[in-house]
Amino acid sequence: MTSDPTPQPLHRRDIDGLRAVAVLAIVAYHAFPRWVPGGFVGVDVFFVISGFLITGIIARSRDEGRFSYLGFYLRRARRIVPAYLVVLTAIAALSLWLLLPLRLTWVGATLATAGLFLANFGFTISFGYFAPVLQQNPMLHLWSLGVEEQFYLVWPLLLALLSLGALRRARFGIAAGLLVVSLAGAQWLTTHDGAVWSFFLLPPRAWEFLAGGLLALAPGFAPRGPVSANLSAAAGLALIVGSVALLSDAMPFPGLSAVPACLGAALVLWSGTGRGPAATALLRSPPLVGVGLISYSLYLWHWPALIFAKEYAQRDLKPWEIVAVVALSAALAVATWRFVEQPWRRRATPRRGRALVLTLLPLLIFVALGAALFVSKGLPMRLAPSARQAADIENTDINPRRMECFTVGTPFKPNGCRYGAAADARDYDVLIWGDSHADAATPGAVDWAKARGWSLREAALGGCPPLVNARAVEAKFGELKGCRESKGQVLGEIAANPKLKLIILAARWALYNGDLPYYDTGNPHLRMLDARVAGDRVYPLDEALAGTLDAIAATGTKARVVVLGPVPELTFAPSYCVAVARHLRRAETGCWDAPAALPLARARPAEAKIAKALATRPEVGVFYPSRRLCTATSCIAELNHRLLYFDDDHLSASGSRMLVPGWLDAALSAPAPAPAPAPAQARPSYGLPPPPR
């Protein structure tokens, strides 16, 4: 990050060390999130440092009558832009070489916003159910640079106003009031379905900068002696380390949960206002000071290095590979600091206006390039036809009526989404009800119904399980809109349809059963809460499913119910893996199956809960897909020369048509058996056809 080390009256090595702590926490979190679950608070520590240093620079200069906006912004530009341009160039080049069109399209959009330091706005606007996974964007970390630069634009102007006349005497109090307002707004947004705004935008983050800025606005407020300085430093470091160890991305953040880390950073900064206390001796040590000096470049390099390494490997990196990538990032950071950052900051500036324009002008190249990548939809012609065909499976081999029938954030459509019946038909033979996994299973269910001369109705809402009295709540974004209304609508249709013969419940059951082990970082954490009671009572999957079956029975329907258990969730997207393999002219065999350990560890607990709910309901059919798709060691991703998935966890239309009819037949042919571990057996020897010439 860019907390400016512009010379102060006395250069503080402890601040360099605090930068090192912050950047190491961030890098460790991105490299090994399970080991350092709260390392993301390093960004908050950087914000506090930036607020302290920048406010001190501006306030002192204004009070002494020597502040220059042009000089200030030129120093900021020379501090930030040169290394930023180098890293953006590397990201653009690697993206053009390695990324497939859909992902390159959205990287292009980010590149355009990053060229204007507006990446945080781009992520706020683009976040959504259909948006590409943010965690796979090599520029995701640039959101914080956007927030910082926006602070640097606004705060000097506001501080200039607060330095005029009588306002100067109230400057500290007004800044403290702004801090309280910003923190209150951040907390309100975080707890009222606005965490995306709270996380990415400046106003809810401004209090973190102001936490450091208040220290700079009270220069006479310093520790009275070594005891208070040491206690302050020790307490501050403990708060930062505690936040790194105890927070996680499943918790609502930012807001009050960010206070300990920010308070800790402020205490460390305050402790060193006079002579450096013994408690910060480690921060002033040469190794940490050295890391602090390269912290900005290390922050810029580490995230794209990790992302592109994983993209190239098309699998999770092994621990030693992660360490190697981080070491490479550190080497690039040292080189960037030595040969880019330092020379640019030392250059003479006889014409500051011209120097500022020339420093900022190259950013427009990335705005134009990013816009071109977005408009051209990722330059698909870069790829060979065989790679394009595989890359496009997530658009071509899906439920043909997905865009019409699968809804997000709005209740189910009362009309339409009928197969084998008129769009406005009030009755139908088969209902498939659930979330996006139900939509993915629909093509096979349609084929199965058509073979019997039956009509089918699809009712699929993203993130909304077919569990009547359950609220699926995401920690950061709240409850999905339209979900409750849709459940009532479906029960009403069931009650009003005497023709109904079969109800299929299909969902991403593991997501609603605690979602562990959690290895899909692009997926939100969900909690299942009981909608029948006030408060946040967790609603176990078995209870929720049993309650739903009771609610269906209470409608008086004679239809039989079938539960399709969890589809094994792979650790990669086979279609993307195959496309990359063809693009890089590598063997595709590694894309045809996945190690079974994580998919089964994720599926088995949900299967056990489903079995528990059905233990006293032999009339309800059930099928567990992991029994057909997985052995004890691997889960297949292709069959009969066709990929079974269009991403890492949804069946492709081809997979659905090959698998779901047999699953339904098996579920209806016998009483529901209890789930058991899959027997070890050889993997079927199916392969993909050779690429077309």
Side-chain angles (χ1 to χ4, degrees):
M1 298 287 282
T2 64
S3 42
D4 194 341
T6 298
Q8 305 296 304
L10 177 65
H11 179 71
R12 289 181 50 178
R13 292 169 61 86
D14 62 322
I15 294 181
D16 289 329
L18 189 57
R19 287 195 198 95
V21 170
V23 78
L24 290 175
I26 296 167
V27 173
Y29 167 69
H30 287 152
F32 300 104
R34 293 184 183 178
W35 298 356
V36 192
F40 52 83
V41 299
V43 172
D44 307 86
V45 172
F46 271 123
F47 286 168
V48 176
I49 298 173
S50 290
F52 175 73
L53 294 175
I54 295 303
T55 302
I57 293 170
I58 298 172
R60 279 190 299 273
S61 299
R62 291 210 65 86
D63 294 348
E64 296 169 4
R66 55 182 177 82
F67 180 76
S68 164
Y69 286 105
L70 188 59
F72 172 78
Y73 289 120
L74 178 59
R75 286 195 303 272
R76 296 310 309 150
R78 286 193 161 178
R79 168 75 174 110
I80 295 165
V81 173
Y84 192 71
L85 290 172
V86 170
V87 175
L88 286 184
T89 300
I91 290 174
L94 288 170
S95 297
L96 283 165
W97 170 58
L98 187 57
L99 297 186
L100 299 185
L102 180 61
R103 196 160 297 169
L104 184 60
T105 299
W106 292 102
V107 165
T110 305
L111 192 63
T113 57
L116 298 172
F117 289 105
L118 294 174
N120 57 322
F121 280 96
F123 292 132
T124 303
I125 295 169
S126 67
F127 186 90
Y129 195 92
F130 288 109
V133 178
L134 290 181
Q135 292 289 337
Q136 296 173 347
N137 192 315
M139 289 179 285
L140 176 61
H141 64 319
L142 299 186
W143 72 268
S144 61
L145 271 295
V147 172
E148 273 199 90
E149 297 316 300
Q150 291 148 32
F151 173 76
Y152 296 150
L153 286 175
V154 173
W155 186 232
L157 301 174
L158 184 56
L159 201 54
L161 177 64
L162 296 180
S163 300
L164 296 176
L167 287 177
R168 180 174 173 180
R169 291 190 295 272
R171 187 167 62 181
F172 183 91
I174 295 173
L178 292 174
L179 183 153
V180 172
V181 170
S182 174
L183 175 57
Q187 180 64 18
W188 188 88
L189 285 171
T190 300
T191 55
H192 288 78
D193 300 345
V196 172
W197 300 83
S198 180
F199 191 92
F200 285 122
L201 298 184
L202 173 61
R205 290 282 191 170
W207 70 271
E208 301 181 18
F209 295 94
L210 292 172
L214 288 177
L215 294 176
L217 292 177
F221 180 56
R224 294 187 177 182
V227 174
S228 59
N230 278 295
L231 287 176
S232 171
L237 291 172
L239 286 170
I240 294 172
V241 172
S243 296
V244 169
L246 299 178
L247 290 179
S248 75
D249 57 8
M251 299 177 181
F253 192 90
L256 292 177
S257 54
V259 168
C262 292
L263 177 59
L267 286 172
V268 172
L269 292 171
W270 181 70
S271 72
T273 304
R275 184 177 300 175
T280 58
L282 181 62
L283 296 182
R284 300 192 301 273
S285 65
L288 283 186
V289 170
V291 174
L293 291 175
I294 67 165
S295 59
Y296 174 50
S297 289
L298 180 56
Y299 182 81
L300 288 178
W301 280 114
H302 83 281
W303 178 252
L306 288 168
I307 292 301
F308 284 119
K310 188 173 180 179
E311 283 290 326
Y312 182 82
Q314 279 300 297
R315 57 172 172 78
D316 289 334
L317 301 178
K318 299 175 182 178
W320 72 265
E321 293 173 324
I322 295 174
V323 171
V325 171
V326 170
L328 174 62
S329 303
L332 290 170
V334 171
T336 304
W337 176 81
R338 173 64 179 83
F339 298 109
V340 179
E341 287 191 59
Q342 293 299 101
W344 269 93
R345 294 173 65 192
R346 292 171 179 166
R347 294 186 64 179
T349 55
R351 300 176 63 182
R352 290 186 294 187
R354 181 172 179 270
L356 179 60
V357 171
L358 292 177
T359 302
L360 296 176
L361 198 59
L363 290 169
L364 298 180
I365 297 174
F366 295 97
V367 176
L369 175 60
L373 294 177
F374 183 79
V375 171
S376 67
K377 298 183 179 180
L379 298 176
M381 297 310 293
R382 295 174 300 124
L383 307 181
S386 61
R388 288 205 304 272
Q389 177 270 331
D392 209 32
I393 282 176
E394 60 184 317
N395 296 315
T396 59
D397 199 7
I398 60 175
N399 181 354
R401 296 177 64 182
R402 179 180 176 87
M403 297 306 296
E404 170 194 354
C405 295
F406 177 55
T407 62
V408 178
T410 58
F412 299 130
K413 301 174 183 177
N415 298 318
C417 297
R418 307 296 199 272
Y419 299 79
D424 58 352
R426 297 181 61 85
D427 53 11
Y428 42 83
D429 300 291
V430 179
L431 167 68
I432 184 165
W433 176 19
D435 57 12
S436 58
H437 280 221
D439 175 76
T442 293
V446 169
D447 286 357
W448 183 88
K450 283 185 177 179
R452 288 155 180 76
W454 292 353
S455 58
L456 180 141
R457 148 76 151 142
E458 176 186 354
L461 175 62
C464 183
L467 301 171
V468 174
N469 290 315
R471 293 192 297 123
V473 178
E474 205 281 322
K476 293 182 179 178
F477 313 113
E479 184 176 2
L480 185 72
K481 293 177 175 61
C483 189
R484 291 198 202 187
E485 301 90 329
S486 292
K487 294 171 185 178
Q489 179 183 323
V490 169
L491 287 177
E493 288 187 20
I494 293 172
N497 184 3
K499 184 182 178 184
L500 189 61
K501 299 177 179 65
L502 180 66
I503 300 168
I504 304 169
L505 303 182
R508 192 176 182 181
W509 301 109
L511 188 64
Y512 313 114
N513 187 47
D515 207 31
L516 296 172
Y518 185 76
Y519 56 84
D520 184 354
T521 56
N523 201 57
H525 287 285
L526 289 177
R527 289 188 303 154
M528 293 293 295
L529 303 180
D530 192 340
R532 301 169 301 176
V533 298
D536 291 345
R537 176 186 178 266
V538 174
Y539 203 13
L541 177 59
D542 55 317
E543 292 183 27
L545 180 56
T548 298
L549 296 173
D550 290 339
I552 291 173
T555 65
T557 184
K558 302 300 182 183
R560 189 168 180 190
V561 178
V562 163
V563 178
L564 290 183
V567 173
E569 300 182 22
L570 307 181
T571 53
F572 64 93
S575 59
Y576 200 94
C577 179
V578 168
V580 170
R582 291 177 176 177
H583 178 51
L584 299 179
R585 302 182 183 277
R586 297 194 312 217
E588 303 170 15
T589 53
C591 307
W592 296 348
D593 58 15
L598 285 175
L600 292 182
R602 192 167 160 88
R604 290 294 188 246
E607 292 175 353
K609 290 292 183 66
I610 293 171
K612 184 177 179 181
L614 304 185
T616 59
R617 293 175 169 82
E619 73 282 1
V620 177
V622 65
F623 184 82
Y624 301 111
S626 65
R627 295 190 174 185
R628 296 284 174 87
L629 297 179
C630 299
T631 69
T633 57
S634 66
C635 296
I636 62 172
E638 57 79 32
L639 187 64
N640 296 340
H641 310 310
R642 305 287 292 187
L643 291 178
L644 300 179
Y645 295 77
F646 72 75
D647 60 9
D648 61 337
D649 60 87
H650 293 87
L651 291 176
S652 64
S654 298
S656 178
R657 292 184 178 114
M658 285 190 287
L659 299 173
V660 172
W663 295 353
L664 293 175
D665 286 337
L668 293 168
S669 64
Q681 59 187 31
R683 181 192 177 281
S685 58
Y686 299 109
L688 289 173
R693 299 297 180 186

